[in-house]
Amino acid sequence: MSGPDFLALLPLVLVSAMPVVVMLAIAFFRDHVLAAALTLLGLLVCFASLPFAASYAPRHITPLLIIDNYALFYMGLIFAATFAVAVLSYSYLGMLRVRREEFYVLLLLAAAGSSVLVASAHFASFFLGLETLSVSLYALVSYPSSREKAIEAGVKYLVLAAVSSAFLLFGMALVYGQLGTMEFSGIAEGAAGLRAASPAFLGAIALIVVGFGFKLAVAPFHMWTPDVYEGAPAPVSAFVATVSKGAVFALFLRYFARVDIHQMGSLVLAATVISIASMFTGNLLALLQQNVKRILAYSSIAHLGYLVVAFLASGALRVTAVSYYLVSYFIAMLGAFGVVSVLSGREGDAVDLDAYRGLSSRRPFITGVFSAMLFSLAGIPLTAGFIGKFYVIAAGAGSALWLLISMLVVNSAIGVYYYIRVIITMYSARAEGETAETALSKGAVSLGGGLLLAALTLGLVWLGVYPSPLVSLIQKTIQGLR
Amino acid sequence: MILLWLIIVPFAGGVAAWILGLRGRGGGSAARWASIAALAVDLALLAAILAGRSAAAGRHGDFFLEARAGWVPQLGISIHLGMDGLSLLLVFLTVFMGIVSVVASWTEITERAGFFHFNLLWCLAGVIGVFLSMDLFLFYFFWEMMLVPMYFLIAIWGHERRTYAAIKFFIFTQLGGLLMLMAILGLYFIHGSQTGAYTFDYFDLIGTRMSSAAAFWLMLGFFVSFAVKLPAVPVHSWLPDAHTEAPTAGSVILAGLLLKTGAYGMLRFMVPLFPDASQRFAPVGMAVGIIGILYGAVLAFGQTDLKRLIADTSISHMGFILVGIFAWNGLALQGVTMQIISHAISTGMLFILVGALQERIHTRDMDLMGRLWEKVPVMGGVAMVFALASLGLPGLGNFVAEFLILLGAFRANPAASAAASLGLIVSTVYALWIMQRVFHGDERTRWTLPDMSVREKGVAAAMIVAIVWLGLYPQPVINEAAPALDGLRRISISGPQAVKIPAPDFRLTAAAKAVPLPAEEDPAFDKKARVVPDISSQKSGEGVNERP
């Protein structure tokens, strides 16, 4: 490894160093403010190192890692999202009677794992990143250890993530057995040479798809999602919904970008089925929920289904659509869980939809933010979600995936129902005789949380009105993939 | 640039109204005045456009104003606004109806008045955007954008079943909109793969060659979306609910403007983009229109809820528009334009009257009304005028509209015209029935209620002047729309490359009514025409980086 290699690796080195730094700081000065401040500062430094690293990209560093614009773009997304989660966590943890500081170590570890994921070019680094991410998440999900639901969620996540890792490992082993390589580029070449796919190779692909399916929580591998989202602390739910899924999807796209998926009929068929099943499962089950976190969980299942539509498209529009959609989805999900998080009190998270009734008169700002986020998830103009959905449909139409985009259209209409149901609950007046006393936290929104939500809303509207700069940025990331 | 301001002013006015409305006491009336002010500014802008325009200053045909700015150059999306006579009339109608609905709901809205006017103005801004967009993406953007404020208007300030109605409205129109988006994208990729220039620009996309099957499916996507909004019969069921449950201003805007965006979409986009497919579809389209005319009237007969009855009559009136559009000749299109404007005024005023009644007696049930003329003679008189307008009495705007549509449709399809004219009979029945049950007949409940206030009389006077003027002297409207409608017909008859055919004189003068009309269906009519600017060579300035 040469000097420029290290410079290109700088963001990855920094984000891996951060957990150690915070851990040492805690060892000497156990202080919540210090740990949070160090985390936020560290993430800012990592973010600031990205343009610097970009000047040395693209670069293969050892067979394991590739630092290109694509990887750096997603790292930026991961750092920004982790920053938002850390801000939300600060006030959220303030309410809990637990040791708070280690939370940040775990959060940074998870961010480091995700960053490795998006930069990996080899099964080994892929698996390393994934496990770093998953193991930190086990602890994060069950962090408020006095809550039964959190423990339950943590155990569920542990079991299912372990099973899915086993599937992935088995699939990787089969691929290695067939092709004798674990590098993505080598696999792509080997797969192209295979012509008629052997049953073992097909099985390997199937196992890998199942593994990805669990991580992305697409139907029929979605069962864990609502329980985990419900049980986990709201900021962690936000992290699972965004960073963890986004990083895996980015890798998924990179892995299959080199392989012409349309030559593999069975893979296309599987992805089509998964996509349609996810859209319907997510949206139909969300209709039945009374729990805001579960609504968001099912909504995220549906959104991953939409993303698979873009994944199945061909051409350059595919990557743009996926990346744009992920950015808009990140903002909206972070904002939505952020609202849940700032409204949550000591007793538990603000999950009961009834508790949101009449929120608009007491908390106009929070209501506005939450409405904007939900409108974005529903794909209404002036929000990033509108452009994102437009991109996905455009990518699908460009590849003549009419069946999939018709399903997407039907599902958007179903989805609108439960998003606006939440919104209308917030705007409708409380029934006569009912007092304003609810489980929702009555304390003022913390400064950090308020600023964060305002920034997310601004970003959401900005991207919805003026998407062109982000599109240019994303287009710069495409070269590395082809 | 002035076109952009037309849209920005209501947006800004809405935000101002919201902020002003946040003040406790007096906030409501501040919000109302802010809304009036914003709309007055728009009116002034329109006046400035009228005064300052020179013939064909825009780059395309009959457009006298165009504005264009890059938006998402990577996809060939630009903020391209254009105004021709048709757009001008419709924007004027929008601003007028906006002012009317603000004044009409002056006392009705007491809660969260600031937010109410915010939604009202944003909805109007979206409608204006729809009428001015010359980029299909921008059109879709505004098309979807006007839904959310309307949804809030119904869901927050509506009547008993508002949540149900609002959600139904939203889902229907959302689904229709997404179908249109699919069709737009299909067109975009077909055009892009042929020319290499991926663009959403209306003028570039016109004349795109495609297989007739593709054209048919894309046309159908547009048709369904516009038919939901119009509404045409199988997809109309959101309308009675939404109109009935909406507050007065919401109903006025729904009936007066939102429905008209569907008609406008067909005029501006569906037929010109897919002329052949539309022509082949015309018998079906006309049949749907005729079914709408009759079915809407049948629905109206069955109602006891006064507001729902009026909502159902909208379905009937919109059927005429469908018939006129698919007849696609000069007379019918003039009729469609007239119908768009007259229906907005007549039905809008009927909704205002129902709203005023409901504010006084807190019911819309006609079984509880009767003999109200004795107590509110002024209101009764006004209702009489608009009920007569609704049934198509000569001398009022709706007559001119429906007469022209039937005349035009007769040239295209005599049978359809004959069937559609049955609508005039059934409308007479329901219109007189309203008068009978509400203002005459037996007194079923002893109401004491005040007659119209000065404010309400002012609104009514303005509306009466408008509808009578449209009925007696429609020539200015017809003159204004004629070049634009001719432009649309030229595009759809012969594609953009063809020679420009001078407008046949179908103006509704006394002489023209008497003599047979020139053979306007013949594209070869008058060969010495000047050439239309070659539209297809005017590519968007921005590079298109992304070529899927």
Side-chain angles (χ1 to χ4, degrees), chain A residues 314-317 320 360-361 371 375 378-383 386-387 389-391 393-395 397-399 402 405-406 408-410 412-414 416-417 420-421 423-424 426-429 464-473 475 478, chain B residues 11 18 22 70-75 77 79 111-112 115 122 137 140-148 151-152 155-156 162-164 166-168 170-171 174-176 178-179 181-189 200 218 545-548:
Chain A
S314 48
L317 210 48
T320 323
S360 71
S361 51
S371 308
F375 276 134
I380 306 297
L382 292 178
T383 63
F386 172 73
I387 309 278
K389 187 188 274 178
F390 168 77
Y391 252 113
I393 296 181
S399 307
W402 296 110
I405 58 175
S406 321
L408 199 161
V409 162
V410 170
S412 296
I414 302 173
V416 160
Y417 180 80
I420 60 178
R421 191 165 67 107
I423 294 173
I424 206 157
M426 296 192 292
Y427 277 99
S428 55
V465 175
Y466 191 51
S468 179
L470 180 62
V471 174
S472 313
L473 186 65
Q475 284 178 344
I478 295 175
Chain B
F11 272 130
W18 194 356
L22 290 179
W71 189 11
V72 192
Q74 293 95 338
L75 284 173
I77 298 170
I79 299 179
E111 256 181 63
R112 284 191 268 188
F115 191 47
W122 275 49
F137 181 85
Y140 176 69
F141 181 85
F142 284 123
W143 181 267
E144 293 284 291
M145 211 206 67
M146 64 191 180
L147 299 183
V148 178
Y151 163 77
F152 275 127
I156 299 181
R162 55 179 178 268
T163 308
Y164 169 77
I167 289 180
K168 195 169 175 183
F170 203 83
I171 290 178
Q174 179 80 12
L175 199 56
L178 284 165
L179 282 177
L181 177 63
M182 281 168 71
I184 290 176
L185 284 167
L187 181 64
Y188 169 79
F189 283 108
F200 285 95
L218 296 181
N545 300 332
E546 205 169 58
R547 284 181 192 156

Side-chain angles (χ1 to χ4, degrees), chain B residues 100-123:
Chain B
V100 164
S101 52
V102 172
V103 176
S105 50
W106 202 268
T107 54
E108 184 190 356
I109 303 301
T110 49
E111 256 181 63
R112 284 191 268 188
F115 191 47
F116 177 85
H117 288 90
F118 167 82
N119 283 312
L120 193 74
L121 284 176
W122 275 49
C123 189

Side-chain angles (χ1 to χ4, degrees), chain A residues 60-389:
Chain A
H60 253 288
I61 298 163
T62 71
L64 295 182
L65 294 173
I66 176 167
I67 302 289
D68 54 9
N69 284 331
Y70 181 79
L72 291 174
F73 173 79
Y74 277 99
M75 280 186 205
L77 204 54
I78 289 166
F79 297 155
T82 311
F83 186 89
V85 171
V87 171
L88 291 173
S89 309
Y90 178 73
S91 46
Y92 190 89
L93 291 172
M95 304 178 309
L96 298 182
R97 289 189 204 85
V98 287
R99 283 187 180 274
R100 296 159 188 150
E101 293 76 14
E102 277 79 6
F103 185 91
Y104 297 98
V105 179
L106 291 166
L107 192 64
L108 287 167
L109 261 180
S114 320
S115 309
V116 171
L117 263 184
V118 298
S120 57
H122 192 282
F123 275 152
S125 49
F126 167 23
F127 195 70
L128 266 176
L130 195 63
E131 286 303 289
T132 315
L133 170 64
S134 302
V135 172
S136 331
L137 279 178
Y138 305 149
L140 280 174
V141 168
S142 45
Y143 200 80
S145 50
S146 55
R147 291 186 189 167
E148 240 172 62
K149 283 219 164 185
I151 300 290
E152 182 198 331
V155 171
K156 252 182 194 157
Y157 191 63
L158 169 68
V159 171
L160 281 167
V163 170
S164 73
S165 295
F167 271 93
L168 263 181
L169 271 183
F170 193 15
M172 290 174 182
L174 282 178
V175 169
Y176 182 67
Q178 294 274 306
L179 302 175
T181 176
M182 294 209 279
E183 280 181 70
F184 292 171
S185 51
I187 293 166
E189 283 163 27
L194 268 180
R195 293 269 163 229
S198 67
F201 189 70
L202 216 57
I205 296 283
L207 287 169
I208 290 177
V209 166
V210 171
F212 271 121
F214 271 112
K215 299 290 178 196
L216 295 174
V218 286
F221 316 111
H222 64 280
M223 313 293 190
W224 59 273
T225 327
D227 295 336
V228 170
Y229 281 30
E230 189 188 356
V236 176
S237 307
F239 192 87
V240 177
T242 55
V243 176
S244 141
K245 283 191 185 179
V248 174
F249 204 93
L251 178 83
F252 187 53
L253 190 61
R254 186 198 284 281
Y255 178 74
F256 283 107
R258 293 164 186 276
V259 188
D260 180 11
I261 52 166
H262 291 278
Q263 281 185 352
M264 300 190 204
S266 47
L267 181 63
V268 173
L269 181 67
T272 307
V273 171
I274 284 176
S275 167
I276 295 176
S278 305
M279 289 192 259
F280 276 107
T281 313
N283 283 322
L284 291 178
L285 292 180
L287 294 178
L288 309 174
Q289 305 304 320
Q290 278 300 321
N291 177 320
V292 175
K293 274 165 117 182
R294 289 182 86 89
I295 291 179
L296 290 173
Y298 282 113
S299 145
S300 89
I301 295 172
H303 279 278
L304 265 295
Y306 302 158
L307 268 171
V308 176
V309 175
F311 166 77
L312 279 169
S314 48
L317 210 48
R318 167 197 198 189
V319 180
T320 323
V322 168
S323 297
Y324 202 98
Y325 202 87
L326 273 175
V327 173
S328 71
Y329 167 82
F330 265 50
I331 298 178
M333 273 291 166
L334 284 172
F337 277 112
V339 167
V340 175
S341 165
V342 300
L343 288 178
S344 297
R346 194 182 301 274
E347 299 77 25
D349 284 1
V351 291
D352 189 10
L353 190 54
D354 275 338
Y356 284 76
R357 189 171 297 282
L359 192 67
S360 71
S361 51
R362 286 171 294 139
R363 294 282 187 86
F365 169 69
I366 297 287
T367 312
V369 171
F370 203 17
S371 308
M373 299 303 158
L374 292 169
F375 276 134
S376 179
L377 290 172
I380 306 297
L382 292 178
T383 63
F386 172 73
I387 309 278
K389 187 188 274 178

Side-chain angles (χ1 to χ4, degrees), chain B residues 331 399 403-404 407 505-517:
Chain B
L331 281 169
F399 168 74
F403 179 73
L404 282 174
L407 209 57
D505 186 0
F506 53 78
R507 286 171 193 184
L508 198 72
T509 55
K513 254 196 278 187
V515 297
L517 294 150

